[in-house]
Amino acid sequence: MDQEDRIALFLDYENLALGVRDHHGGRAFDLRPIADALAERGRVVVRRAYADWSYFDEDRRMLTRSHVELIEIPQRMGASRKNAADIKMAVDAVELAFEREYISTFVIGTGDSDFTPLVHKLRELNKRVIGVGVENSTSALLPPACDEFLFYDRLEGVEVPPAAGRRGRAARPAGTGAPPPAERPAEPPAEPTVETAPAAEEPARDVDTLSVLVAQTVAGMQGSSSGEVTASGLKRTLLRKDPTFSESDYGFRTFGELLRHLAGHNVIELAAGPAKGDPEVSLPERGDREVAFALLRSVVVDLAGEGGAAALSGLKDQLRRARPDFSEKKLGYRSFLQFCKAAATSGAVELRWSAEAEDYLLTPQTA
C-alpha cells in the first residue's frame, strides 16, 4: 500500500454536470467512469464536490452513495456564486496540499481555465495534477497545464450520443439527474462554453501519427539522456508533451500493447528493461533507416548524374515520388535536413553547403 499514489479528488460539480448535460444530449453526469479511471492510478483518500446542491438533488444522492463530501455553495442574490465555488475549492486544495504531505496526486474536475493558477501552484508544491473535463466544454488553456488530462467523454463506460460534439444547448433532460434549464438560475453558466477547443481542429488519431510521435520522443530522450529509455519513462514523457494522450484513443488496451504493435512495424525495438513489465525502448539501428538511406542515395544518383549534385530543396518530394510513404519523422528525425545529415554520417551521401547555390548540395558517396 505504501507504494500507491494517494489521490485527492476535487470536483467543480456545476461545470461538469452542465457540460455533460449540454453536450451529451441532456444526460446526467456519472461519477463511476472517473472513479474507475482513478482506481487504476492510485488510492483516492479525499473526495469533495462543490456546488449549490439545491439544483442537483438527484446528483447529491448519487455522490453521497459514492462517499463524496458535498461542499455547499448556496445561491445568494447579488453575489457571484461561480466565483465563490472556485475560490473555496482552490483554497481547500492548497490547504490540503500543505496539511497532507502523503497526498501525491490532486485531481481537479473542471473545464474552467480559472483553475489553471491552482494547477500551477499544486505542481510547484511537487504534486501531480490530473485534470478531468467534458471535451467540448473544456478551456484550451487547462489541459496543457496538467500532468495528465482525462476527457470525461473518452472514459470507459461513458456513452456519447452522436450529436455530443456539437456546440449548443441540449433539450430538456429526460431524467432527474440534472436540473431542467427552467429551474436553473437566471444568469447563463459561463464555464461550459468559454474558450473551448473546437473538435474539428483535433488532429487525426491514427497509427501513422502515433508512430511519428513515439519515434520523435524516443529519439529526443536518447539524445538528451545517456540512460536507457524505458516504457514507463516514455509514457511519462508523452504525457508531458500532451497531457490528453491515451493509448486507448488509438485502439490499444494498454501502453504495452501499443509498444508491441509499433515494434512489430519496426518503428521501435523492445528489449528487457530494469524491471519486469517495463521494457527498454529504442529506435531500430538497422532496417528501415538503412533502406531510407539507400533510397536517398539512389534518388541523388538519378538527379545528380555523373559528377553532379542534387540540391536539398525539393529533394524530399523526389523521395516521395519514389516511395509515397516516406517520412523522416517515422524514423525519429525532426527534419529532413537532420535525416540527410545522418545519411551523410552513415556514408550513403556527401552533404555540403553551397554559398553560390544558397542551399545544401548532396552527391553520391564514392567508394
Side-chain angles (χ1 to χ4, degrees):
M1 183 181 293
D2 290 339
Q3 301 302 316
E4 291 182 320
D5 280 340
R6 265 64 165 195
I7 299 173
L9 172 62
F10 288 81
L11 300 175
D12 177 10
Y13 195 78
E14 183 169 327
N15 180 278
L16 293 175
L18 293 180
V20 171
R21 187 198 71 186
D22 290 352
H23 298 287
H24 287 211
R27 298 185 183 185
F29 172 81
D30 185 5
L31 181 66
R32 175 52 55 187
I34 295 177
D36 290 345
L38 297 184
E40 298 167 358
R41 289 162 171 78
R43 180 172 167 233
V44 181
V45 295
V46 174
R47 300 176 181 85
R48 295 180 186 175
Y50 297 73
D52 183 343
W53 296 109
S54 63
Y55 295 105
F56 299 96
D57 189 55
E58 192 65 29
D59 302 59
R60 180 171 56 187
R61 296 185 180 91
M62 177 268 295
L63 293 171
T64 301
R65 288 194 296 268
S66 299
H67 311 288
V68 176
E69 181 183 359
L70 307 182
I71 307 300
E72 178 73 30
I73 307 295
Q75 171 72 56
R76 297 188 302 276
M77 294 299 295
S80 174
R81 175 174 44 83
K82 173 187 177 298
N83 288 341
D86 291 359
I87 293 171
K88 173 64 174 170
M89 183 166 146
V91 169
D92 286 357
V94 172
E95 182 180 43
L96 198 68
F98 280 105
E99 291 184 349
R100 305 287 189 268
E101 293 184 2
Y102 57 82
I103 295 179
S104 57
T105 301
F106 282 74
V107 179
I108 308 298
T110 185
D112 190 351
S113 64
D114 288 352
F115 285 98
T116 304
L118 170 63
V119 172
H120 290 316
K121 178 57 65 177
L122 291 171
R123 295 184 68 183
E124 284 180 20
L125 296 173
N126 198 30
K127 305 298 184 182
R128 174 174 166 80
V129 180
I130 300 175
V132 181
V134 179
E135 189 163 8
N136 284 347
S137 63
T138 293
S139 164
L141 301 176
L142 188 60
C146 302
D147 292 295
E148 182 178 4
F149 198 92
L150 305 176
F151 284 117
Y152 175 84
D153 321 62
R154 302 180 191 173
L155 295 178
E156 186 69 29
V158 176
E159 295 183 6
V160 182
R166 300 175 184 172
R167 185 174 301 195
R169 301 191 66 82
R172 180 182 297 270
T176 57
E183 297 178 6
R184 300 296 305 149
E187 72 272 28
E191 303 104 296
T193 56
V194 297
E195 299 176 5
T196 55
E201 296 180 3
E202 184 179 348
R205 296 179 180 272
D206 55 62
V207 178
D208 282 342
T209 302
L210 180 65
S211 299
V212 171
L213 175 64
V214 172
Q216 286 186 326
T217 303
V218 173
M221 293 176 70
Q222 287 179 330
S224 62
S225 173
S226 57
E228 46 211 25
V229 178
T230 62
S232 58
L234 175 61
K235 178 67 178 286
R236 287 194 297 270
T237 304
L238 290 171
L239 284 171
R240 283 196 289 268
K241 284 186 170 185
D242 178 10
T244 69
F245 171 82
S246 172
E247 59 273 7
S248 63
D249 291 337
Y250 300 90
F252 299 98
R253 294 170 296 179
T254 65
F255 191 62
E257 181 180 330
L258 180 155
L259 294 180
R260 289 190 293 273
H261 172 86
L262 295 181
H265 286 73
N266 206 36
V267 177
I268 57 173
E269 290 182 347
L270 299 177
K276 184 178 180 181
D278 192 15
E280 182 181 344
V281 185
S282 61
L283 294 175
E285 293 298 330
R286 299 184 180 276
D288 278 1
R289 282 198 283 182
E290 288 192 348
V291 172
F293 291 160
L295 173 66
L296 175 65
R297 187 182 189 282
S298 68
V299 171
V300 169
V301 169
D302 291 341
L303 293 175
E306 192 67 29
L312 180 68
S313 301
L315 186 57
K316 183 174 179 179
D317 291 336
Q318 298 297 325
L319 263 70
R320 283 183 168 168
R321 287 193 180 96
R323 182 177 168 183
D325 64 341
F326 170 80
S327 171
E328 74 281 357
K329 292 181 172 59
K330 288 184 181 180
L331 303 171
Y333 300 104
R334 297 183 181 278
S335 67
F336 185 64
L337 175 59
Q338 186 187 33
F339 165 74
C340 291
K341 289 180 177 178
T345 301
S346 73
V349 294
E350 292 181 353
L351 179 69
R352 62 182 177 85
W353 171 257
S354 170
E356 182 179 353
E358 296 184 346
D359 199 355
Y360 283 98
L361 298 180
L362 293 87
T363 55
Q365 183 74 280
T366 56

